């Protein structure tokens, strides 16, 4: 059964909650490691999840992350409510950033987030509606 | 190079991970931007950084950085130390500048732990 869901969990992220930023992705990393995925795969998923989580914390009001694991795929879906992205093509360019000085002080906002998520994903989809929010779908093949 | 030798080389203080001073490191990556670490750092590298907040430790954990050396006499924040203890991640603090710290490590033959595009 190729699409049998081995694991599913939903997490929530609060926008601007910098003190908890990263807790969802560290949990995701621990879960994937526990399931027994190859460390290279776990690292890719954790990096993609962390960048995506930071984007929600930095730019959105709130967000939901759904982690779905099947024998062949890790699927991380993020949906946030917030300002959305005006020009996705521009946001996908390395180095393009709308970060504030506060975000840069955190070590983020270099304009590497979305390209970095894409680089670590086997499938990557992004949709956004200005003033409503953004949805990311990240798939990492288990092998 | 063993972490204990790196500590001596950089006049560094060990903040966490005293039990891991015999660990051996071959690569070094230096960055203050955590997205650059996530994008380019190789697993197992040492990270040399001036960013002292908890994100430095989370980034190291996520990207599988082996140890962090804070430079310019900076010390990591309390929540960063707490998390590093939980994850058993060595944190060191050196009074040297980023240039001087990286230069000394380079001179000892450590390699780049950063897969930057050519």
């Amino acid at each position: 059964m190729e699409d049998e869901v081995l694991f599913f969990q939903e997490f929530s992220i609060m926008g601007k909650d910098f003190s908890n930023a990263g807790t969802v992705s560290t949990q995701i990393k621990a879960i994937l490691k526990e399931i027994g995925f190859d460390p290279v795969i776990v690292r890719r998923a954790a990096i993609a999840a962390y960048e995506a989580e930071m984007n929600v914390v930095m730019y959105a009001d709130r967000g939901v992350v759904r982690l779905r694991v099947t024998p062949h795929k890790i699927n991380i879906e993020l949906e946030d409510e917030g300002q959305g992205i005006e020009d996705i093509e521009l946001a996908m360019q390395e180095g393009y950033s709308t970060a504030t000085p506060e975000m840069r002080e955190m070590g983020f906002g270099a304009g590497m987030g979305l390209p970095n998520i894409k680089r670590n994903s086997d499938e990557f989809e992004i949709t956004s509606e200005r003033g409503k929010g953004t949805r990311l779908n990240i798939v990492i093949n288990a092998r | 190079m063993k972490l204990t030798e790196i500590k001596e080389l950089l006049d560094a203080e060990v903040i966490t991970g005293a039990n891991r001073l015999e660990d051996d490191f071959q690569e070094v990556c230096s960055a203050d931007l955590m997205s650059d670490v996530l994008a380019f750092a190789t697993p197992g590298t040492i990270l040399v950084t001036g960013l002292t907040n908890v994100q430095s430790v989370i980034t190291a954990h996520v990207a599988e950085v082996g140890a962090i050396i804070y430079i310019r006499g900076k010390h990591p924040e309390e929540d960063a130390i707490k998390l590093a203890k939980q994850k058993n991640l060595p944190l060191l603090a050196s009074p040297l500048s980023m240039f001087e710290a990286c230069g000394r490590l380079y001179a000892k033959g450590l390699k780049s732990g950063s897969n930057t595009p050519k």
Side-chain angles (χ1 to χ4, degrees):
Chain A
M1 291 254 292
E2 216 171 271
D3 296 316
E4 178 197 1
V5 177
L6 299 176
F7 184 90
F8 176 82
Q9 191 169 334
E10 193 171 285
F11 308 84
S12 48
I13 305 171
M14 283 309 294
K16 311 290 173 287
D17 183 7
F18 287 102
S19 58
N20 285 306
T23 50
V24 170
S25 19
T26 45
Q27 283 179 71
I28 288 176
K29 184 176 179 185
I31 290 163
L32 297 177
K33 197 176 162 189
E34 177 74 26
I35 292 172
F37 283 107
D38 182 296
V40 174
I41 303 286
V42 174
R43 184 174 185 266
R44 285 174 53 204
I47 291 175
Y50 185 37
E51 288 281 17
E53 181 180 1
M54 288 308 296
N55 277 347
V56 175
V57 173
M58 292 192 291
Y59 296 107
D61 299 329
R62 67 188 65 79
V64 172
V65 183
R66 294 181 197 96
L67 172 67
R68 195 177 286 105
V69 178
T70 71
H72 300 91
K73 281 178 180 179
I74 299 164
N75 176 213
I76 303 167
E77 186 191 357
L78 284 99
E79 267 180 308
D80 74 40
E81 293 169 35
Q83 61 189 26
I85 300 170
E86 196 158 307
D87 186 337
I88 290 176
E89 208 180 314
L90 197 57
M92 287 303 300
Q93 287 178 15
E94 287 191 3
Y96 176 79
S97 175
T98 57
T100 62
E102 188 194 13
M103 296 170 191
R104 292 179 198 270
E105 272 173 30
M106 300 287 298
F108 286 86
M112 295 299 294
L114 289 173
N116 205 8
I117 296 168
K118 192 179 179 187
R119 185 183 298 127
N120 283 288
S121 308
D122 290 304
E123 292 169 42
F124 174 73
E125 288 166 20
I126 177 167
T127 50
S128 188
E129 200 175 332
R130 186 80 186 137
K132 290 205 166 171
T134 301
R135 183 181 170 277
L136 297 187
N137 195 42
I138 298 163
V139 174
I140 294 161
N141 295 332
R143 251 291 151 221
Chain B
M1 190 175 203
K2 285 188 175 167
L3 195 57
T4 184
E5 297 170 277
I6 292 169
K7 169 192 177 290
E8 294 302 319
L9 184 69
L10 304 182
D11 304 323
E13 168 198 343
V14 178
I15 299 164
T16 63
N19 60 326
R20 293 192 50 196
L21 290 177
E22 292 302 307
D23 287 16
D24 199 62
F25 293 91
Q26 311 291 332
E27 295 180 338
V28 180
C29 149
S30 63
D32 284 349
L33 282 169
M34 294 301 106
S35 278
D36 283 349
V37 177
L38 293 166
F40 304 124
T42 52
T45 183
I46 282 178
L47 170 64
V48 179
T49 187
L51 188 84
T52 56
N53 63 23
V54 71
Q55 303 307 327
S56 62
V57 175
I58 298 176
T59 300
H61 173 64
V62 166
E64 282 161 24
V65 163
I68 305 179
I69 299 167
Y70 297 95
I71 37 82
R72 305 179 208 121
K74 292 184 174 192
H75 273 67
E77 293 172 9
E78 272 310 311
D79 47 357
I81 295 173
K82 197 174 149 193
L83 185 65
K85 282 180 181 164
Q86 275 176 30
K87 303 292 179 195
N88 194 24
L89 177 76
L91 303 184
L92 279 71
S94 165
L96 304 179
S97 68
M98 175 135 8
F99 175 80
E100 180 72 26
C102 292
R104 288 190 191 184
L105 292 164
Y106 185 88
K108 287 286 179 185
L110 275 91
K111 304 292 178 206
S112 173
S114 188
N115 280 323
T116 39
K118 291 189 179 75

